[in-house]
Amino acid sequence: MFPFTSKKKKQNNRIGSFDYQPQQGTSKKQKSYSFQQRIRFIVVNLFLCSFLLCILVRSAYLQISQPARILEQAKKQSKKVFDNVYRGSIYDNNHNVLAGVLPVYSLYLRKNYVHNIEKTANKLTPFFANYKANDLIDLYNQSGQKKILLSKYISSSVYNQLHELNAPEFLLTSSYVRIYPWGRFLANTLGFTGGNLVGREGIEYYYNYLLLNDNTVQVNGNPFNSTFFGSNVHLTIDSRMQYAAMHVIEKANQAMHAKGILAAVMESKTGKILVNAYTPTFNPNKYQDSKVALYANPLIHTVYEPGSTFKVITLASALETHSIEPEQQFFCENGIYYIYNTPIHDTSAHGWLSVSQVLQKSSNICASKIAFAMGKSAFYHNIQKFGFGTLSGINLPGESVGIVNKNLQSWKKFDLAALSFGHFIAVTPIQLLKAVNTIASGGYLVTPSIVSAITDKNNKPIPLKPNTKKLILSRETVKWLTKYMISVTQKGGTGFGVKPHGLAIAGKTGTARKFDIKTHSYSKDDHVFSFIGFFPADHPVLTMLVIVDDPKAKYKHATSAVPIFREITEKIINYYPLTSAPMANQARIPKAPIAPPVAPLTAKLVRKTLYKKTLRESLLWASRERITLRFKGSGRIYRVVADSNKNQYTAYLK
């Protein structure tokens, strides 16, 4: 029994006895382990306490020694919330409103405040025609929302009367909506705002932080008692020229059925964009009704192969690097030239041509030979110098840099040839306009701009980044290139017929076959036609680019961009002074009418101007003239009273 008893005792001790002697050695180890844990715990806590102490010391130092800087940083990182935000306006270069705001009044029903729905429904009867109380009762019973929208737009007179009613079950809200008085005519440049007046495309997006005055945001809610004004953006766009260009390209596209037509006009010396017209486009007042693809700004977004217009850059680079002589002659192989069994064609067979004739006849073969004389390294360096492959610097969002193969080792001889006549490279319209404008500006690469000024609510200017220009072409090169480009528009040139009578134009046509991604080859049917030029040629004032994407029919007996360029030119010279420029044959060009002197803005003039105007018309006029209007009633203005504050008036409508 002893062995059994002994085994049982061990089992009992092993299970429950704390006094079993063999376990004493283990107890000492546990005590030693606990001591190490306490040491580790103390060390960790000391470290944490030291870390927290450092944070407290640093925080105290910053708050005591640099409170102003910390407060300024906090302001920049925080959002100011206002009951209502008056988004700044956008103007053209003649201070016409391109984008403004209109007040909107809405009516809601708050179910928590309704004690008797029949009585509540009857309260609205005096304010709305064709109103039925039963409709409100049905809406009340069917809706599960605590706040029910009854009318998104109510007149200012109804708003004021309901406000005086002081009925808690009715919630009245006031806000602003963005309007674009000219509709689609500058939509791709302006962009649009969302329902909360936050810019989503174009200028509205790019300058959103200033139009909403930095970090302010609009909050819809109870009727506001204060309005926060954003800054105003002034564009370089001339609305008269823009409207004329839009009219021409829309009319042309009705005949040509092209995928798109673009016309852009730049002030040659300053780089200011006066026209950015494109069709098809969209109406920013109803942007939801249009495809998203139409929101893009083709001037800066579209990437395409420029075709023969790029020959201007080829000749400029060759002359500037002294790779050719200005009057050198090249043999054009009678219309076909092989490079490693791959043919290059001209549209017509030519023998020997001078450099001027190479551009005039638009010879691909001779342009290739000029590129070979220059070499790929020199050509690539000059392409970079003209700004291809980089951003143009225009103050618009989402600009593309184009496509330039920077790996010179991969360039083959045929690639260099294709590059000389505008293939093997992809550019944006603004890049080409900026590059060719270098000739019109006397050799200076001028950064394009579309914003001339930004002013705050007090009409004080906000500093803008200054426009830059860089001399990249010699005067001699500019002289020869201008001569070459004039020959293009003369008899025998590919651009003959582009000149209005008596106006000298220097330019270049372009035709590029479109690359078909499906077949991995250039299409025989789809083309991009373009014309770029400046005028007057002897004293450049304006530089213009017209692009027609894949036309299916002719306009004025041509599928090219030449007749469109001519018609736009004939219209816009009526609005832009060319008097300082010498004209060919001294022909008289119609001048823009001289504006009469502006009368001082007196209270009498304000009353006379606003009489019988609608709310919309009066708001746009007031925004342009920088006066503040308050409205009472609805309909048309019949009375205007000057307030005690300067440039503030109350308009009564009926």
Side-chain angles (χ1 to χ4, degrees):
M1 289 182 67
F2 180 76
F4 177 77
T5 305
S6 174
K7 186 176 181 181
K8 186 175 181 181
K9 286 181 179 179
K10 289 180 179 179
Q11 186 178 11
N12 288 338
N13 288 328
R14 189 163 56 247
I15 294 173
S17 177
F18 290 99
D19 297 326
Y20 185 57
Q21 294 300 322
Q23 298 294 326
Q24 291 178 0
T26 305
S27 178
K28 290 179 180 179
K29 289 181 180 179
Q30 287 177 342
K31 291 179 180 179
S32 175
Y33 183 71
S34 298
F35 176 75
Q36 292 175 356
Q37 283 183 322
R38 286 195 297 270
I39 294 297
R40 189 180 295 113
F41 178 78
I42 293 171
V43 171
V44 170
N45 277 276
L46 285 173
F47 175 78
L48 290 174
C49 290
S50 301
F51 180 73
L52 290 172
L53 182 62
C54 291
I55 292 176
L56 290 172
V57 171
R58 178 62 178 171
S59 176
Y61 167 75
L62 291 174
Q63 292 184 41
I64 295 172
S65 63
Q66 300 177 346
R69 185 174 68 88
I70 298 299
L71 183 61
E72 183 64 24
Q73 288 182 350
K75 287 181 179 179
K76 289 181 180 180
Q77 295 174 2
S78 64
K79 281 185 178 288
K80 304 173 187 176
V81 179
F82 293 84
D83 290 329
N84 196 53
V85 175
Y86 187 101
R87 186 176 178 88
S89 298
I90 302 175
Y91 301 95
D92 73 350
N93 64 355
N94 290 310
H95 210 71
N96 296 308
V97 177
L98 301 175
V101 291
L102 280 176
V104 170
Y105 307 103
S106 303
L107 173 63
Y108 294 84
L109 177 68
R110 295 192 286 192
K111 295 181 71 173
N112 292 345
Y113 290 85
V114 176
H115 302 294
N116 187 315
I117 185 57
E118 287 78 9
K119 290 183 179 180
T120 299
N122 290 327
K123 288 181 181 180
L124 293 179
T125 303
F127 303 107
F128 300 100
N130 301 322
Y131 167 76
K132 295 180 181 180
N134 290 335
D135 293 339
L136 178 58
I137 295 172
D138 292 340
L139 183 63
Y140 174 84
N141 293 328
Q142 294 172 8
S143 176
Q145 298 179 340
K146 294 182 179 180
K147 188 173 71 172
I148 305 171
L149 176 63
L150 300 182
S151 179
K152 190 173 183 179
Y153 304 108
I154 61 175
S155 67
S156 58
S157 60
V158 171
Y159 172 86
N160 292 328
Q161 292 175 57
L162 286 173
H163 197 271
E164 293 174 359
L165 193 62
N166 198 25
E169 59 266 39
F170 297 126
L171 173 64
L172 297 165
T173 63
S174 302
S175 60
Y176 289 102
V177 294
R178 197 64 159 172
I179 60 165
Y180 303 90
W182 297 88
R184 69 185 186 281
F185 104 116
L186 194 62
N188 301 97
T189 299
L190 294 175
F192 55 87
T193 63
N196 55 357
L197 286 188
V198 174
R200 292 177 55 182
E201 294 286 347
I203 292 290
E204 295 277 31
Y205 172 80
Y206 193 77
Y207 287 101
N208 183 69
Y209 68 105
L210 287 172
L211 289 164
L212 279 181
N213 204 14
D214 204 359
N215 291 320
T216 61
V217 294
Q218 180 187 15
V219 177
N220 293 322
N222 294 324
F224 56 83
N225 47 26
S226 63
T227 303
F228 197 88
F229 290 84
S231 301
N232 299 315
V233 176
H234 304 259
L235 303 186
T236 59
I237 295 291
D238 188 304
S239 294
R240 301 165 303 174
M241 297 169 67
Q242 174 76 19
Y243 184 82
M246 278 294 293
H247 175 73
V248 172
I249 65 174
E250 287 182 340
K251 183 178 68 172
N253 208 25
Q254 288 176 0
M256 304 180 85
H257 305 291
K259 290 182 179 178
I261 302 180
L262 177 141
V265 180
M266 173 190 284
E267 204 171 60
S268 303
K269 303 302 180 185
T270 65
K272 293 179 180 179
I273 302 297
L274 302 175
V275 172
N276 179 23
Y278 183 76
T279 186
T281 184
F282 68 99
N283 186 345
N285 294 305
K286 301 177 181 179
Y287 66 90
Q288 304 93 331
D289 299 339
S290 301
K291 295 179 180 179
V292 175
L294 294 177
Y295 300 163
N297 187 346
L299 180 68
I300 61 171
H301 293 159
T302 299
V303 175
Y304 74 109
E305 290 183 303
S308 293
T309 54
F310 200 76
K311 289 172 184 171
V312 175
I313 307 302
T314 302
L315 297 189
S317 302
L319 288 172
E320 195 66 15
T321 56
H322 304 289
S323 302
I324 62 171
E325 295 297 326
E327 297 180 297
Q328 187 175 340
Q329 297 214 348
F330 292 85
F331 183 59
C332 297
E333 307 290 340
N334 294 314
I336 186 167
Y337 181 49
Y338 286 92
I339 300 177
Y340 301 132
N341 298 321
T342 303
I344 295 177
H345 297 275
D346 280 343
T347 54
S348 300
H350 300 292
W352 288 92
L353 293 179
S354 65
V355 177
S356 178
Q357 290 173 319
V358 169
L359 199 67
Q360 183 189 41
K361 305 296 182 183
S362 197
S363 171
N364 295 335
I365 294 171
C366 288
S368 302
K369 291 187 174 184
I370 291 173
F372 296 155
M374 187 170 22
K376 61 184 179 181
S377 180
F379 199 6
Y380 173 72
H381 173 73
N382 277 272
I383 287 172
Q384 283 187 313
K385 190 167 68 172
F386 275 103
F388 296 106
T390 60
L391 297 176
S392 70
I394 192 170
N395 31 13
L396 284 170
E399 182 184 357
S400 173
V401 297
I403 303 172
V404 177
N405 187 352
K406 298 180 180 180
N407 183 9
L408 296 184
Q409 299 300 322
S410 68
W411 286 25
K412 299 177 182 178
K413 188 175 182 180
F414 188 84
D415 296 333
L416 182 58
L419 181 60
S420 71
F421 50 84
H423 288 279
F424 193 62
I425 187 173
V427 306
T428 61
I430 190 63
Q431 286 176 331
L432 186 67
L433 187 64
K434 175 184 178 181
V436 175
N437 184 68
T438 303
I439 304 162
S441 66
Y444 288 93
L445 186 70
V446 183
T447 302
S449 63
I450 204 165
V451 174
S452 59
I454 298 176
T455 56
D456 62 17
K457 64 177 182 178
N458 298 316
N459 203 31
K460 292 182 179 179
I462 296 174
L464 282 174
K465 185 179 179 181
N467 213 14
T468 60
K469 63 179 183 179
K470 181 181 179 182
L471 185 64
I472 64 169
L473 292 179
S474 66
R475 186 176 299 179
E476 190 72 10
T477 299
V478 169
K479 183 191 75 172
W480 283 109
L481 284 169
T482 303
K483 180 181 178 182
Y484 300 158
M485 293 175 71
I486 291 175
S487 73
V488 172
T489 65
Q490 294 174 340
K491 190 173 182 178
T494 56
F496 180 66
V498 75
K499 299 186 300 179
H501 180 67
L503 179 63
I505 293 180
K508 181 68 187 79
T509 55
T511 304
R513 292 195 297 169
K514 297 181 71 173
F515 188 80
D516 192 332
I517 299 177
K518 294 181 180 178
T519 62
H520 297 281
S521 62
Y522 284 96
S523 171
K524 295 181 180 179
D525 303 317
D526 300 338
H527 296 79
V528 175
F529 297 94
S530 57
F531 189 92
I532 189 166
F534 51 84
F535 52 88
D538 299 329
H539 187 89
V541 174
L542 299 177
T543 305
M544 179 162 61
L545 170 64
V546 174
I547 300 174
V548 183
D549 184 7
D550 194 18
K552 301 303 181 185
K554 294 182 178 181
Y555 176 65
K556 294 190 175 181
H557 311 291
T559 55
S560 71
V562 168
I564 301 175
F565 189 101
R566 174 182 176 136
E567 192 170 348
I568 293 175
T569 302
E570 289 174 337
K571 291 183 179 297
I572 65 175
I573 58 178
N574 290 305
Y575 306 113
Y576 198 92
L578 303 177
T579 52
S580 59
M583 298 294 168
N585 303 324
Q586 297 182 352
R588 290 183 294 176
I589 303 297
K591 300 177 184 179
I594 300 174
V598 179
L601 197 63
T602 62
K604 183 179 180 180
L605 180 60
V606 172
R607 294 189 191 98
K608 182 179 178 180
T609 304
L610 294 179
Y611 182 64
K612 289 189 176 182
K613 284 193 181 298
T614 63
L615 181 68
R616 181 191 185 105
E617 293 169 341
S618 57
L619 270 173
L620 290 176
W621 182 84
S623 176
R624 187 180 65 193
E625 299 297 333
R626 297 186 179 92
I627 67 173
T628 302
L629 285 178
R630 293 189 301 175
F631 298 93
K632 290 188 177 182
S634 60
R636 291 183 177 270
I637 295 175
Y638 69 93
R639 184 185 175 203
V640 177
V641 177
D643 295 346
S644 56
N645 295 330
K646 185 179 179 181
N647 290 334
Q648 291 189 2
Y649 298 84
T650 300
Y652 296 86
L653 301 88
K654 67 177 181 180

